[in-house]
Amino acid sequence: MSAAQVVREFFEKVRSGKELEAVHGVMAERVLAHQVKSEKEVTVERSPADYAAHVREMMHIYGEFTLTVEQFLVQDDQVYVRWKQVGTHLGEIDGFVPTGKPIVEIASAVYRVEAGKIVEYWIQIDREGIRVQLEQNAKL
């Protein structure tokens, strides 16, 4: 599979939460996940099982969410994806108790594919936008 096909399948099946068992076909056994959190870069190692657990946790917090890919660009072995995730605040997020109100996440990542599997990615999530939504929802 090409890098584009791997990442597209990853989003359609795994990141969406629709077919988590497909994670083994699109992610390497060791994936480096570079994340920006509070203006600091953090790199964690993820395995396919760990990533599936991460998506399950998101589903617990956001319920059944919709995931819309808004931009998808490919350059050689790297794929850039920007998406919008819309869910319902059903689980605690950063100390905010569930409100049952909609919550929107805007994020983007660059995925590097090697030998038909994702081996590394760099992700940025609009955490400030999520925090503002959580604060507003808590007041309603």
Side-chain angles (χ1 to χ4, degrees), residues 54-68:
H54 172 63
V55 173
R56 281 188 204 92
E57 181 182 359
M58 274 192 292
M59 293 172 78
H60 174 75
I61 294 169
Y62 295 106
E64 288 190 27
F65 55 83
T66 60
L67 187 66
T68 305

Side-chain angles (χ1 to χ4, degrees), residues 57 60-62 89-99 134:
E57 181 182 359
H60 174 75
I61 294 169
Y62 295 106
H89 184 192
L90 300 177
E92 185 177 320
I93 304 171
D94 298 333
F96 288 89
V97 297
T99 62
L134 292 169

Side-chain angles (χ1 to χ4, degrees), residues 106-134:
I106 305 292
S108 63
V110 174
Y111 297 88
R112 188 170 69 80
V113 176
E114 190 176 281
K117 295 196 176 184
I118 295 169
V119 294
E120 189 171 21
Y121 64 88
W122 296 259
I123 187 167
Q124 292 181 315
I125 300 170
D126 179 16
R127 294 190 192 281
E128 177 64 9
I130 292 171
R131 187 191 61 75
V132 168
Q133 291 173 75
L134 292 169

Side-chain angles (χ1 to χ4, degrees), residues 41-76:
E41 281 192 52
V42 177
T43 300
V44 297
E45 282 190 29
R46 292 209 181 268
S47 67
D50 174 61
Y51 195 85
H54 172 63
V55 173
R56 281 188 204 92
E57 181 182 359
M58 274 192 292
M59 293 172 78
H60 174 75
I61 294 169
Y62 295 106
E64 288 190 27
F65 55 83
T66 60
L67 187 66
T68 305
V69 171
E70 297 186 330
Q71 194 165 26
F72 192 93
L73 303 170
V74 181
Q75 183 177 358
D76 303 319

